[in-house]
């Protein structure tokens, strides 16, 4: 059984294996397909039209499937690799070890915000940003510059305590767990971490930064935790709903997997601890 | 096949092609209305003539204007922002706030605030057309 671990607990060897697999996907040309797909959905998911990957109930199962596909792709390079997660309620400083040169590298330098440390720095020649909205082809970050603090444990607990999964109108204005987790409402969890990292992570092409996967793995873990704590609450909506993925509707772009099939991940992977 | 379903199919194919093995194997924005925990959430105003702008900001020409069509994302209102003549992809949230492809996880009360935030992020870089297919 694959175990997804807290990135802070990884050995040097485990960090290296993860980084190497990511770099190999990039070298093979497969990585950028994920950036492209994510951007396609993020610019097309709208509050009043069809919405699948974001601002909708399927935000959580869509990203679960997206991460699974990426993780399987990494495992085709190195079968021992699993996605690590970044618990930003604990590792919340710009000098936390996740940003060290032996893992994701640090914040961008002053002037152009270019990341110049670690395996994804432009200068390595191994990480060119190809899918982009502007002329810059180097990874950028502005850790902690656009918003002062990452969400706290208390803020996460507030959202985990919301017993309704999602609510009409099933978009960025909804009450409920999903939208508060996504961050369009309430204390702002998921969206805020994107803003805190800055650079490409704050854009529609956020998977250009490998931190994307560790952030979303933690969001996935928190969904798992919410289900454990709220066993009587299920995915909503369960009935066909215009523009929205109901419990039993296959999700684009795969068209093979429904939210119902993704609720229980225990046959595919487990997490090392609860929240 | 509609344009949307065609592009969705292209995206699906590209993604599946990109992962065939896996499948077979198994700043400067402090003065702006930025939503976030450290500042009041952006609140939206109704669009009016005041939302048509054409100005120089940090050495860039930013323009914004309502458009007749609703936009491909069906957000209910058409609006275009240009930075030095190049379109900034943007979207309106149902609460009236705005996001762009540059600042996608951060909401702004007006298109002008959105455009200025994009200029801040760009640091002189030029927008390029984005692929939505």
């Amino acid at each position: 059984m694959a175990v997804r671990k807290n990135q802070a607990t990884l050995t040097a060897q485990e960090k290296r294996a993860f980084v190497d697999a990511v770099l190999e996907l990039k070298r093979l040309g497969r990585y950028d397909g994920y950036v492209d797909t994510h951007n396609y959905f993020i610019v097309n998911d709208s509050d009043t039209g069809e919405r699948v990957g974001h601002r909708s109930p399927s935000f959580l199962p869509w990203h679960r499937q997206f991460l699974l596909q990426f993780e399987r792709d990494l495992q085709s390079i190195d079968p021992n690799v699993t996605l690590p997660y970044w618990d930003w309620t604990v590792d919340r400083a710009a000098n936390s070890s996740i940003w060290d040169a032996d893992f994701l590298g640090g914040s961008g330098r002053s002037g152009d915000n270019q990341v110049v440390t670690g395996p994804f720095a432009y200068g390595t020649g191994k990480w060119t940003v190809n899918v982009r909205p502007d002329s810059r082809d180097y990874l950028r970050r502005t850790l902690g510059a656009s918003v002062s603090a990452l969400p706290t444990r208390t803020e996460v607990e507030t959202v985990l305590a919301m017993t309704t999964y999602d609510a009409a109108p099933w978009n960025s204005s909804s009450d409920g767990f999903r939208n508060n987790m996504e961050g369009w409402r309430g204390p702002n969890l998921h969206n805020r971490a994107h803003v805190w990292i800055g650079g490409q992570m704050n854009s529609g092409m956020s998977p250009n930064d490998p931190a994307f996967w560790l952030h979303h793995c933690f969001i996935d873990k928190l969904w798992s935790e919410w289900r454990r704590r709220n066993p009587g609450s299920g995915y909503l909506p369960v009935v066909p709903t215009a523009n929205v993925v109901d419990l039993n509707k296959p999700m684009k772009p795969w068209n093979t997997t429904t939210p119902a099939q993704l609720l229980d991940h225990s046959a595919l992977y487990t997490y090392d601890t609860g929240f | 096949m509609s344009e949307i379903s065609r592009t969705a199919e292209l995206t699906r194919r590209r993604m599946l092609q990109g992962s065939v093995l896996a499948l077979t194997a198994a700043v400067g924005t402090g003065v702006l209305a930025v939503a976030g925990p450290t500042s009041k959430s952006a609140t939206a105003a109704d669009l009016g003539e005041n939302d048509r702008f054409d100005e120089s900001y940090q050495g860039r020409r930013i323009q914004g204007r309502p458009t007749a069509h609703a936009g491909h994302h069906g957000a209910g209102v058409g609006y275009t922002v240009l930075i030095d003549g190049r379109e900034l992809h943007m979207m309106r949230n149902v609460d009236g706030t705005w996001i762009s492809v540059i600042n996608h996880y951060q909401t702004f009360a007006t298109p002008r605030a959105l455009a200025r935030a994009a200029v801040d992020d760009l640091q002189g870089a030029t927008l390029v057309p984005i692929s939505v297919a």
Side-chain angles (χ1 to χ4, degrees), chain B residues 63-131:
Chain B
Q63 298 164 275
R65 54 171 182 262
T67 50
H69 63 87
H72 74 275
H73 46 67
V77 63
Y79 200 90
T80 298
V81 162
L82 304 174
I83 299 177
D84 290 340
R86 295 170 184 255
E87 184 172 0
L88 174 68
H89 193 281
M90 58 190 292
M91 181 184 290
R92 195 171 205 193
N93 295 319
V94 74
D95 69 357
T97 59
W98 301 84
I99 58 172
S100 79
V101 72
I102 299 287
N103 297 87
H104 204 100
Y105 301 91
Q106 213 173 352
T107 59
F108 299 87
T110 64
R112 189 193 306 252
L114 182 85
R116 289 177 173 182
V119 167
D120 288 337
D121 179 277
L122 284 167
Q123 296 179 306
T126 348
L127 290 174
V128 298
I130 66 168
S131 163

Side-chain angles (χ1 to χ4, degrees), chain A residues 30 34 36-38 40 42-43 45-48 55 69 111 133-136 145-146 148 192 202-204 206 253, chain B residues 7 12 14-15 18-19 22 27 37-38 73-74 91 93-94 99 101-102 104-106 121-123 126 128 132:
Chain A
R30 305 216 294 260
Y34 292 92
D36 207 27
T37 296
H38 186 270
Y40 173 83
I42 215 164
V43 301
D45 295 326
S46 78
D47 278 336
T48 53
R55 58 179 69 235
Q69 183 175 0
D134 60 71
S135 47
R136 295 167 293 181
S146 294
S148 60
R192 199 199 322 177
N202 196 20
S203 78
S206 45
Chain B
T7 52
R12 191 183 72 84
R14 182 165 176 175
M15 185 152 140
S19 323
V27 244
T38 57
H73 46 67
M91 181 184 290
N93 295 319
V94 74
I99 58 172
V101 72
I102 299 287
H104 204 100
Y105 301 91
Q106 213 173 352
D121 179 277
L122 284 167
Q123 296 179 306
T126 348
V128 298
V132 294

Side-chain angles (χ1 to χ4, degrees), chain A residues 153-228:
Chain A
R153 170 106 198 180
T154 304
E155 287 170 324
V156 172
E157 291 289 351
T158 302
V159 174
L160 288 174
M162 296 176 176
T163 54
T164 303
Y165 177 77
D166 205 347
W170 319 109
N171 61 21
S172 72
S173 69
S174 291
D175 287 322
F177 168 72
R178 185 277 308 169
N179 197 35
N180 279 272
M181 176 62 63
E182 192 169 355
W184 301 111
R185 272 227 170 167
N188 188 353
L189 304 184
H190 154 268
N191 283 354
R192 199 199 322 177
H194 277 275
V195 177
W196 187 88
I197 291 176
Q200 281 90 357
M201 261 297 268
N202 196 20
S203 78
M205 292 132 180
S206 45
N208 273 310
D209 191 332
F212 174 92
W213 308 104
L214 284 78
H215 171 42
H216 268 280
C217 194
F218 186 52
I219 298 297
D220 187 81
K221 179 175 192 280
L222 292 176
W223 181 28
S224 181
E225 179 73 10
W226 178 84
R227 292 192 73 242
R228 191 181 69 76

Side-chain angles (χ1 to χ4, degrees), chain A residues 8-27:
Chain A
T9 71
L10 297 184
T11 64
Q13 190 179 12
E14 287 170 327
K15 288 182 184 180
R16 192 69 236 172
F18 175 76
V19 165
D20 285 349
V22 170
L23 290 175
E24 182 63 2
L25 282 189
K26 180 76 168 176
R27 190 186 70 81

